[in-house]
Each structure stands twice: as structure tokens, then as C-alpha cells.
Amino acid sequence: MPINLHDFLAPTLPPSPEPSRGGVEVCHSSCLIAGPSGSAKTSVLFQYALRAAQNDRNVLLLCNKHALELKPPLLACKSQKADPAWSRISLKYLESGDELVRFLAGLHLLPSLPDVLLVDGLLPTGPASVNSGSWERLLCRLSASLVEAAAFLASKAGPHAVVACTAAVGGPGDRALQILEHAFPLTILLTPDPAAWHGVLTCGPGGLSATPLSQGSA
């Protein structure tokens, strides 16, 4: 189910339209942030992390260090960068989709579980993104692992648990997007052209904000 940025950056995500998929319980607040390179996926994810931390929720953000250094997230102002809520956000660097699968398999072994689990830049999205084997099989494994992680966190942290991840895709017909949409009940599809977004992302004194196009934004 597509949602806009305004809904995603709200204090709580809307519920999943389906309580289960294929007999596997899905966290009702799991979301995919998809779009091509340059569509601000990482910035949106980090903004959500900060919003969640400001609401006293513990956030674990899994990302690729090299990719993050090449394209750091957009933070609107110095005061936002100095926000004490960042202390509630833990950052862990992983190098590949295979490493992400292994980490998620051991999620229950963490000393303390996050309320919010965010994944950025770790999903394979084409044949060139993996060294060997089928990228589609790996993406399916990752999707299943993220579904299981969402259900596990929901069983421990309750209805406020959130799992969200970014994925680089080419557009609505992209094969990677088709696979991932089966795992994520909520989807934000971004494009580099703000006029085509499901919501408009802007910077202001309070940080990134999003306004649905239905409210007449341009």
C-alpha cells in the first residue's frame, strides 16, 4: 500500500492493510522507502530515526559505512545535528546483504532490543549488486528475514515496533520493487523530481518535513 511522506514522518505509521502474508505475521508498522539514486531515501530514513528518538524510542540503524560517507543524509540545521535525541540512535555498519541476513538471524541475542529497526543501503537491487549467485534469491531471503524481524520486534516491543528500509529501484515496474512489496505492507516510492513525489520533502528550522501533494503543495 503506497503512503506519502507526511504519513511516514508522523509519530506513528498507519496500520498494515493485511495482518499476515503467507501465514507469517507481519509487523503492522513496517515500511519500504524506494527510489532511484538521488531521491533522498537516506535523508528520509535518518529523519524518521530522529523523530522516533525524540519520542523516547530506541533506534537501531543498520547501514553501509562506505555508502553513507559517499552520500550522507541531509540534516536541516545545526540545532538538529546537536539534538540530544541522537543518543537514542545506535548505528551499526554492515557490508553486504549476506551480513544483514546473519545479523537479523541473531537479533534475539542482542543485549537490548530496539523499538525501531532501520536498514539503509544494504539490499541488492540487480545482478551487478552481488558477487555470485542469484540476486533475486538473496533479495527474497532478505525480505523474509526482515518480515521475521518485524514480527519478532512486534512480539517484544508491542504495536510501536517499526521496521523500515531503503532500496534503490528504477521505478514502479522494477523487479526488486516487486519482490520487496510482498514483504513490506507500506511503501514510499520517491523520485528525484519533487513534482512527482507522493509527498514533498522540504527543509526548515525544525528539520525535514513532508506535505502531501493533496494539500496543494508544489
Side-chain angles (χ1 to χ4, degrees), residues 63-116:
C63 56
N64 181 288
K65 183 177 182 179
H66 178 67
L68 192 63
E69 290 175 344
L70 282 178
K71 295 183 178 179
L74 174 65
L75 297 176
C77 57
K78 290 183 179 180
S79 61
Q80 190 179 25
K81 295 176 184 178
D83 194 314
W86 286 110
S87 64
R88 302 186 70 93
I89 301 174
S90 299
L91 203 63
K92 182 172 179 60
Y93 295 123
L94 302 176
E95 296 299 323
S96 66
D98 284 320
E99 194 173 351
L100 176 59
V101 169
R102 291 193 294 270
F103 178 85
L104 293 174
L107 191 62
H108 61 289
L109 299 175
L110 293 179
S112 60
L113 293 174
D115 303 303
V116 178

Side-chain angles (χ1 to χ4, degrees), residues 124-136:
T125 52
S129 61
V130 293
N131 294 326
S132 61
S134 167
W135 70 272
E136 288 193 18

Side-chain angles (χ1 to χ4, degrees), residues 8-104:
F8 180 68
L9 294 176
T12 58
L13 288 176
S16 165
E18 300 178 41
S20 65
R21 292 181 180 233
V24 179
E25 183 181 358
V26 178
C27 174
H28 74 70
S29 292
S30 53
C31 183
L32 174 70
I33 306 167
S37 177
S39 55
K41 298 182 297 296
T42 297
S43 296
V44 169
L45 196 70
F46 269 73
Q47 182 65 33
Y48 181 80
L50 183 57
R51 292 281 181 94
Q54 288 169 340
N55 286 310
D56 297 324
R57 300 165 77 187
N58 294 318
V59 180
L60 177 58
L61 210 162
L62 309 175
C63 56
N64 181 288
K65 183 177 182 179
H66 178 67
L68 192 63
E69 290 175 344
L70 282 178
K71 295 183 178 179
L74 174 65
L75 297 176
C77 57
K78 290 183 179 180
S79 61
Q80 190 179 25
K81 295 176 184 178
D83 194 314
W86 286 110
S87 64
R88 302 186 70 93
I89 301 174
S90 299
L91 203 63
K92 182 172 179 60
Y93 295 123
L94 302 176
E95 296 299 323
S96 66
D98 284 320
E99 194 173 351
L100 176 59
V101 169
R102 291 193 294 270
F103 178 85
L104 293 174

Side-chain angles (χ1 to χ4, degrees), residues 119-172:
V119 179
D120 182 50
L122 290 169
L123 302 188
T125 52
S129 61
V130 293
N131 294 326
S132 61
S134 167
W135 70 272
E136 288 193 18
R137 283 200 301 271
L138 177 56
L139 192 57
C140 288
R141 283 176 58 208
L142 279 165
S143 298
S145 295
L146 288 164
V147 167
E148 291 173 0
F152 174 70
L153 290 180
S155 71
K156 299 297 182 180
H160 295 297
V162 171
V163 172
C165 78
T166 63
V169 301

